[in-house]
Amino acid sequence: MTSKLIKYSFTFVFVLLFCGCSFSQDSIKSVVQSNAASEITSYKNETIYSLIKYKKKLDLRNPNAYNRSLSKNILHQIQTNQDYINILQDGKELKTYNNYLQYAFSNEKIENRNDFLILGLYKLIHKAYNLEGNHKFTAFQYNKVELSKLYKYLQVIRWKIRTQKDDNGNYLFNTWQNNWQLELLQKDDSDLNVIKDLEYIKSNKESIYSHSNFSFEVLLSRILLNVEYTLRKINIEPYAMSTSAIKSFIFIL
């Protein structure tokens, strides 16, 4: 009786693993994955999905800050977990996420700044999760150092997007700001009565009580949370960086 049970068990496993007509490749992988590794795969997929949404929103909000001819290729690269786009900038080919993030947050005038931010973020995620590597069957196959670095960088990036301005006092990325706040940056704000003459205030399209746009913050926080969950699955306790540490952080080449 026992030998028959063993035989049937092996037969079932064999059919389960190799019967392509009944199970997809992803289904087979999920069967043999540990629960933790399977959950990390979900966190990774949600991170990629959020990044795609972030790129689309960022380009809509900053329509003059991305290369339209490159946009579809960037999205395709992210959707297919590849890493083949390396932009030529100042006579050199940029390959590392630090290269891209340096340009993304440069105080100087940068064309297509959105692309540097998105590619820098994607290359970070790609390396941390080893998106083109072998399928992970256990949580401990993930790179703890790179995932910890990703969590650290995301905190810095989120803060810089919120706060950093160029040499002319303009925000590098328009995300949370209302239109009247962006208008005010171009005016002499020594007399706050100028606010009532701003286009978006005068036309009643916005008011000084209008809520800021938190949708960008929500997406980045969702990415950060997925990485946090990932770290806990590989037995690393995430830590929040101090404001002073974030402000002094430099993207080292």
Side-chain angles (χ1 to χ4, degrees), residues 110-225:
I110 298 292
E111 289 188 11
N112 305 321
R113 192 183 293 273
N114 292 7
D115 296 340
F116 291 108
L117 174 62
I118 296 301
L119 286 171
L121 273 167
Y122 177 66
K123 285 177 182 291
L124 257 174
I125 294 166
H126 189 279
K127 186 170 185 179
Y129 281 102
N130 191 19
L131 296 184
E132 283 187 303
N134 295 328
H135 191 73
K136 307 296 187 298
F137 296 107
T138 67
F140 295 102
Q141 288 179 275
Y142 285 91
N143 190 314
K144 293 183 178 182
V145 173
E146 293 300 334
L147 283 165
S148 296
K149 186 183 292 184
L150 172 60
Y151 189 72
K152 180 179 180 180
Y153 270 53
L154 284 170
Q155 294 177 71
V156 174
I157 290 167
R158 183 174 61 174
W159 181 84
K160 284 182 175 291
I161 290 172
R162 282 196 212 120
T163 63
Q164 199 146 330
K165 297 178 181 179
D166 63 19
D167 291 333
N168 296 318
N170 299 310
Y171 285 101
L172 299 184
F173 300 98
N174 297 334
T175 55
W176 59 268
Q177 306 90 342
N178 289 312
N179 290 296
W180 72 264
Q181 292 169 304
L182 297 175
E183 278 187 84
L184 186 60
L185 286 174
Q186 310 302 320
K187 307 289 185 180
D188 178 8
D189 60 1
S190 58
D191 179 7
L192 292 180
N193 287 320
V194 73
I195 292 177
K196 68 178 185 298
D197 293 322
L198 298 174
E199 178 187 343
Y200 278 83
I201 298 295
K202 192 189 299 185
S203 63
N204 292 320
K205 293 178 181 177
E206 294 176 352
S207 81
I208 59 172
Y209 304 108
S210 298
H211 293 295
S212 298
N213 184 351
F214 287 106
S215 58
F216 289 93
E217 183 77 9
V218 168
L219 284 171
L220 268 186
S221 295
R222 188 177 296 165
I223 291 173
L224 197 61
L225 197 58

